[in-house]
Amino acid sequence: MAEKIYTIPVNDAFNSGCECPLCKLYTDLERESIDFTMGPSYMEDDNRAVTDKMWFCPTHVRMLYAEKNRLGLALMMNTHTNKVIKDLREAVSKGHGTKSGLFSKAGKSAVGTYIDNLEESCFICDRINKIFPRYIDTIFHMWKNDKDFIPKFKESKGFCTYHFGILYDEAPNKLKGKQLDEFTDALVKVYFDNIERVNGDVSWFIDKYDYRNNDAPWKNSKDALPRGIIKSSHTIIE
């Protein structure tokens, strides 16, 4: 099947040799979202209105702070904080009652409800969560329609536990009959073969700290820890 614009990121991730192509897709998308947020778009009124409302989770605000565009972050923070002050003044005017209303929900004051909603929102997480499911759909589309993708999938280094679970549970919604069985068999094999491979490397990494193994070769264990972190925590350490 000829590459389409929506299959290119998936093929690139599977070609990367990463311990989890879906972690690679997520990390690349996160990076693109950071660049989008801190690029010229932060000056656009519609984007600023969304960031004013949603702001960022702790992980992504730390990533934004690490960027060079401190002025852009300061501008977004300033207008976001102005909105929070205005909204919380209105919420405080409602008192400590927990009656449902424009801001409040059962068991919470308007203040508590507003802050809970703010803590649960993130402009970058929201952008990622709208795009990432399309990558999952594309994997199943390629399994059904791209004969070159199946061996690439089977020969990959598998997936982290988290993304293995997503693919396993989503498979019956995307595939039926023989295709479902073949995909599930391939997924299970590639997951267990590779998580056991990496865990074996981690075991040898540990054993190398035993003085009796001082002169033994490292084999494939020097980078076992960051690879193991991908498998166990769906996090790429760079």
Side-chain angles (χ1 to χ4, degrees):
M1 184 179 79
E3 274 200 318
K4 308 289 186 182
I5 191 163
Y6 56 86
T7 66
I8 291 172
V10 173
N11 270 322
D12 287 349
F14 275 86
N15 289 334
S16 72
C18 179
E19 292 289 351
C20 178
L22 282 170
C23 284
K24 178 75 166 63
L25 284 164
Y26 184 95
T27 300
D28 288 349
L29 180 56
E30 186 176 52
R31 181 69 257 168
E32 291 166 8
S33 298
I34 293 288
D35 292 343
F36 172 83
T37 303
M38 298 308 292
S41 65
Y42 76 87
M43 291 300 295
E44 297 175 8
D45 289 342
D46 54 346
N47 286 327
R48 286 285 287 280
V50 179
T51 57
D52 285 353
K53 179 181 179 181
M54 300 186 71
W55 195 231
F56 306 99
C57 68
T59 296
H60 288 134
V61 82
R62 282 193 294 269
M63 292 178 71
L64 291 170
Y65 183 74
E67 297 297 300
K68 295 179 180 179
N69 190 354
R70 298 285 175 85
L71 174 60
L73 182 58
L75 287 166
M76 286 187 287
M77 182 183 297
N78 182 244
T79 55
H80 163 72
T81 304
N82 286 338
K83 176 174 171 53
V84 170
I85 291 169
K86 175 179 177 294
D87 290 345
L88 278 177
R89 284 190 182 281
E90 182 178 346
V92 166
S93 72
K94 300 178 184 298
H96 287 284
T98 58
K99 183 179 178 181
S100 296
L102 178 62
F103 289 103
S104 60
K105 57 186 177 183
K108 281 278 188 177
S109 68
V111 169
T113 298
Y114 180 86
I115 293 172
D116 282 353
N117 290 338
L118 190 60
E119 286 293 304
E120 293 168 2
S121 66
C122 172
F123 176 76
I124 291 173
C125 287
D126 185 66
R127 189 170 188 269
I128 292 171
N129 292 336
K130 287 176 179 175
I131 298 173
F132 190 76
R134 300 176 198 168
Y135 292 147
I136 305 295
D137 292 343
T138 300
I139 287 173
F140 289 107
H141 172 79
M142 293 173 71
W143 181 273
K144 289 188 289 186
N145 297 285
D146 184 354
K147 62 181 178 59
D148 295 327
F149 179 69
I150 294 175
K152 185 180 296 185
F153 184 99
K154 291 179 178 179
E155 293 163 13
S156 72
K157 292 183 177 179
F159 303 91
C160 69
T161 299
Y162 176 73
H163 288 130
F164 164 71
I166 289 177
L167 291 172
Y168 189 91
D169 282 347
E170 191 63 22
N173 299 322
K174 305 296 183 182
L175 304 170
K176 303 297 178 187
K178 184 179 178 182
Q179 280 191 327
L180 173 59
D181 292 340
E182 290 177 347
F183 177 85
T184 302
D185 289 346
L187 174 64
V188 168
K189 184 177 189 320
V190 79
Y191 169 72
F192 283 106
D193 283 355
N194 284 283
I195 197 168
E196 288 170 358
R197 168 182 58 80
V198 172
N199 200 40
D201 291 342
V202 172
S203 294
W204 183 242
F205 177 86
I206 295 168
D207 289 344
K208 269 293 292 175
Y209 282 85
D210 187 324
Y211 73 94
R212 291 169 294 186
N213 293 319
N214 280 343
D215 297 326
W218 280 92
K219 302 179 183 178
N220 293 321
S221 68
K222 281 190 174 181
D223 64 345
L225 193 55
R227 290 188 290 112
I229 288 171
I230 294 175
K231 293 295 191 191
S232 63
S233 305
H234 57 95
T235 299
I236 293 179
I237 304 296
E238 296 178 341

